[in-house]
Amino acid sequence: MPENLELHQFVDGFRHSETRNRWLSRIKSKLNCPYLGIILATLSSLFFSLCSVIVKGLVDINPMELASFRFVGVLLPAIPIVIYTKQPVFPEGKRVILLLRCFMGTTGLMLSFYAFRHMPLADASVIIFSTPVFVAIFARVFLKEHCSLFNILTIILTLVGVVLITRPPFVFGQQATTDVNLERLDGKHYDIWGPVAAISSTLFGANVYILLRALKGLHFSVIMTNFGAFALIYTIIVCGTIGAICWPACGRDRWLVVVLGIFSFLGQILLTLSLQVEQAGPVAIARCADIVFAFIWQTMFFGETPTGYSLVGAMLVVSSVILTALKKWALSLPRESTARKRLRYLLLD
């Protein structure tokens, strides 16, 4: 989902921030719940997946306009935090990278909204959620980081999974691809630009992660405040350019737009809290619940039964993401840690 980009932001923000809410750790101890962070991350996935359902269901509202409402949910929780921590909102020396990060993140999320509208919900979610795996490619190109055999394996698994989900005609043949798509969409026209938007969103998201590494010294609230403000202005300009600025119709649509903002806000806050009481790796794995929820909502609300290709592709992509998260978590653990010893095979180059 698009919100996995925000997970990356919060991971780097909390790792390099000195301000941590210790009261959550105390609550975790008092409740005797060692999995509190995982539970919060799963609830965050639930709210974010419901946001995707709303985006797909509000067919009378342009996805770009819905994105602007979504960014209100990004901006609202960030403003009080940046004020409370007294962080410089637009720090010198980081402004160009910060603006570039905002542009990449906003464009990626708008593309993901387009994909949700024009693809089966679960298929779009799986492709977009594969962002962490592609980070290794851009880290190699731009940061000259080592690309290990593990990275190559996860990239291949992900690419195979994406191909199985999108089923491009040049691989599966035009007739086979058309038959499967028509069956899956109940005779509706299959929009090739949906998969293109989903894959493009993934590539933008991978670049966002690289830019966030360059911004790792900034407090996460500074990044989120700039991202939310920039994205809100950006999406309004795009909506004005394509003539999509209009207030949602009274009744169901207007209420769902309000719910979209509320769910975005709740998902963002729960994700923040989960990363305050749990390490990034387990939280990233818990966020795979996004895909499970997407398959459930796809069948429940839109009557789109996933194909065998989609299920196998989803399993490959989810496996790659989980392995990537486990490796990142293992690298963050002390060398004498039992968990790190158990995951030692993931650390081999």
Side-chain angles (χ1 to χ4, degrees):
M1 308 296 281
E3 289 75 16
N4 70 339
L5 301 184
E6 283 120 45
L7 172 62
H8 299 155
Q9 295 161 201
F10 284 121
V11 167
D12 284 335
F14 278 103
R15 181 177 295 156
H16 296 276
S17 172
E18 295 179 359
T19 305
R20 295 181 68 95
N21 290 332
R22 300 184 183 280
W23 60 272
L24 269 173
S25 299
R26 290 196 292 269
I27 291 177
K28 180 180 178 180
S29 300
K30 289 180 180 179
L31 292 177
N32 195 25
C33 182
Y35 305 109
L36 179 61
I38 303 298
I39 294 171
L40 293 175
T42 304
L43 288 174
S44 172
S45 293
L46 173 63
F47 284 113
F48 282 141
S49 66
L50 288 173
C51 288
S52 303
V53 172
I54 294 173
V55 171
K56 187 172 179 64
L58 287 175
V59 295
D60 295 328
I61 304 177
N62 191 284
M64 301 302 104
E65 186 177 4
L66 288 174
S68 63
F69 290 107
R70 168 68 184 82
F71 287 123
V72 172
V74 175
L75 184 60
L76 285 180
I79 291 177
I81 298 175
V82 78
I83 293 175
Y84 176 77
T85 56
K86 299 179 180 179
Q87 299 290 327
V89 179
F90 201 47
E92 293 184 9
K94 299 286 187 180
R95 292 174 181 173
V96 174
I97 299 178
L98 196 55
L99 288 175
L100 188 58
R101 178 267 170 274
C102 292
F103 172 78
M104 288 285 187
T106 307
T107 304
L109 198 141
M110 288 195 295
L111 287 168
S112 71
F113 272 34
Y114 183 92
F116 289 139
R117 180 64 57 84
H118 297 279
M119 284 184 70
L121 184 63
D123 289 1
S125 299
V126 171
I127 295 173
I128 293 167
F129 204 80
S130 66
T131 297
V133 179
F134 289 101
V135 170
I137 298 176
F138 293 103
R140 174 62 182 170
V141 174
F142 297 112
L143 301 179
K144 306 303 179 184
E145 292 186 1
H146 175 61
C147 189
S148 65
L149 181 62
F150 173 86
N151 297 129
I152 295 173
L153 175 62
T154 55
I155 290 169
I156 291 174
L157 283 176
T158 302
L159 289 175
V160 172
V162 170
V163 168
L164 288 175
I165 292 169
T166 57
R167 290 178 296 283
F170 65 85
V171 175
F172 288 83
Q174 184 65 48
Q175 185 61 42
T177 303
T178 302
D179 290 344
V180 173
N181 289 333
L182 289 178
E183 176 186 350
R184 199 171 64 179
L185 297 177
D186 298 327
K188 293 184 286 185
H189 174 66
Y190 181 75
D191 186 359
I192 188 60
W193 293 109
V196 170
I199 295 171
S200 300
S201 173
T202 300
L203 298 179
F204 272 99
N207 278 288
V208 165
Y209 195 92
I210 301 302
L211 291 167
L212 285 171
R213 290 185 182 179
L215 297 171
K216 62 184 180 181
L218 292 183
H219 193 272
F220 77 92
S221 62
V222 175
I223 299 174
M224 295 302 294
T225 300
N226 280 276
F227 178 39
F230 178 94
L232 195 56
I233 296 171
Y234 182 10
T235 49
I236 291 174
I237 292 174
V238 171
C239 289
T241 303
I242 64 178
I245 294 182
C246 62
W247 194 246
C250 292
R252 171 182 169 272
D253 286 2
R254 191 168 294 184
W255 280 110
L256 284 177
V257 166
V258 174
V259 172
L260 175 65
I262 294 173
F263 281 1
S264 297
F265 179 85
L266 291 174
Q268 202 74 56
I269 290 296
L270 288 169
L271 181 56
T272 308
L273 296 178
S274 69
L275 284 161
Q276 287 182 324
V277 297
E278 187 57 81
Q279 295 188 55
V283 170
I285 295 171
R287 292 279 286 119
C288 287
D290 274 15
I291 295 175
V292 177
F293 287 130
F295 275 105
I296 295 173
W297 306 147
Q298 173 178 297
T299 304
M300 183 182 299
F301 293 114
F302 305 107
E304 297 173 351
T305 304
T307 66
Y309 285 117
S310 293
L311 291 174
V312 174
M315 288 175 61
L316 292 175
V317 173
V318 171
S319 298
S320 298
V321 173
I322 290 176
L323 287 172
T324 302
L326 283 172
K327 181 174 182 177
K328 189 171 184 179
W329 178 42
L331 287 171
S332 69
L333 296 173
R335 290 188 176 275
E336 63 277 6
S337 170
T338 304
R340 177 164 180 151
K341 292 178 181 177
R342 290 176 179 174
L343 299 172
R344 62 186 180 278
Y345 296 108
L346 297 179
L347 304 179
L348 298 177
D349 290 335

